[in-house]
Amino acid sequence: MSILSGLAFIFVSVKLWDYGLYLISLPTFFVGIIAILISANKYSLPLRRRDNCPRTTGVSLGSESSKILWLRLTEKAAGWFLVVVSAILSISGFMLFDRAAHGAAWASYMFSMLAILVVPFLFRGLTVSASKPLINSRLTIPVLVTFLIIGVVILGFVLRVYNISELPAGLWYDEADNIIRAGQIHASPLNTPVFVPSTHLPSAFLVPIAMLQELTGVPW
């Protein structure tokens, strides 16, 4: 629920920003980010008693536990630092979009998203127990299903990309418009708008199509 609430707050903050309510949009955005971080900020700190004090009621930190504690503090500090960096980059991206500096705005947006994606892992903890193997050697049903889904996605991608300049023979008008707009993004990526004028849709979903045009080398 915390993640859904955070995403809802972020969505509302974007809408408020679109309507020019900047002073209300920024606090709403930060509330959404904090809600998402709270949902990921659940971890346990393993503590170990000293062997020479088995009957003490308190918990004493050994050398290993002290290292874990300092590592967790470092991870938490790095996580909050990335939160601040992501917020600054997000605000900078909004301001650059208003000034029609699309290239720098998209770069700020991309780096802000990358920074915020790392934060839950830092808050959760990057340390892995030595007794727990990183890779499970047993081939279980979830592993088989995962490989099956990956295979289906790869097969669908190959079939869709194969002879893409000729197949399919025609497209519906909105799909054709998306292809044209993706071609414009491919031709001038630094001038990518936030919204597509013809469909009034966000242009972010057209960026992978433009990247695919670059990979295939065909102006389709």
Side-chain angles (χ1 to χ4, degrees), residues 12 33 42 47 60 79 83-84 94 96-97 115 123-124 128-129 135 137 156 162 184 198 204:
V12 171
I33 294 296
K42 295 179 181 179
L47 300 178
S60 300
V83 169
V84 175
F94 287 141
L96 290 171
F97 275 125
F123 279 6
R124 190 71 175 179
V128 180
S129 177
I135 300 176
S137 59
Y162 172 73
Q184 294 174 352
S198 58

Side-chain angles (χ1 to χ4, degrees), residues 67-220:
K67 292 179 181 179
I68 294 175
L69 177 61
W70 282 110
L71 179 60
R72 292 298 297 121
L73 291 176
T74 303
E75 290 173 344
K76 295 277 284 185
W80 282 113
F81 174 75
L82 288 180
V83 169
V84 175
V85 170
S86 178
I88 294 174
L89 289 175
S90 298
I91 296 172
S92 301
F94 287 141
M95 297 175 64
L96 290 171
F97 275 125
D98 288 339
R99 298 179 181 178
H102 298 299
W106 280 112
S108 299
Y109 170 77
M110 181 184 66
F111 285 115
S112 68
M113 291 297 103
L114 291 176
I116 204 65
L117 285 175
V118 180
V119 170
F121 296 98
L122 291 174
F123 279 6
R124 190 71 175 179
L126 298 177
T127 57
V128 180
S129 177
S131 61
K132 188 175 182 180
L134 294 176
I135 300 176
N136 190 359
S137 59
R138 293 185 301 174
L139 195 61
T140 59
I141 293 179
V143 174
L144 289 174
V145 172
T146 302
F147 281 119
L148 179 62
I149 294 175
I150 293 174
V152 170
V153 171
I154 294 175
L155 179 62
F157 178 80
V158 172
L159 293 176
R160 184 63 187 90
V161 174
Y162 172 73
N163 200 14
I164 195 171
S165 61
E166 301 295 335
L167 297 174
L171 296 172
W172 192 243
Y173 70 95
D174 59 340
E175 298 295 336
D177 182 77
N178 291 334
I179 295 296
I180 294 174
R181 300 300 177 183
Q184 294 174 352
I185 294 174
H186 176 239
S188 182
L190 294 180
N191 294 322
T192 303
V194 181
F195 291 94
V196 179
S198 58
T199 58
H200 300 286
L201 293 175
S203 60
F205 76 99
L206 298 177
V207 175
I209 302 177
M211 295 172 62
L212 186 59
Q213 292 179 355
E214 178 67 23
L215 292 175
T216 56
V218 180
W220 43 274

Side-chain angles (χ1 to χ4, degrees), residues 1-13 28-29 31-40 42:
M1 290 301 295
S2 298
I3 294 178
L4 294 178
S5 301
L7 293 176
F9 274 108
I10 293 175
F11 176 78
V12 171
S13 68
T28 307
F29 176 79
V31 169
I33 294 296
I34 292 173
I36 294 176
L37 294 178
I38 289 175
S39 65
K42 295 179 181 179

Side-chain angles (χ1 to χ4, degrees), residues 47-61:
L47 300 178
R48 189 178 62 180
R49 291 185 180 182
R50 293 178 180 175
D51 296 334
N52 56 356
C53 300
R55 295 183 179 180
T56 54
T57 57
V59 178
S60 300
L61 292 176

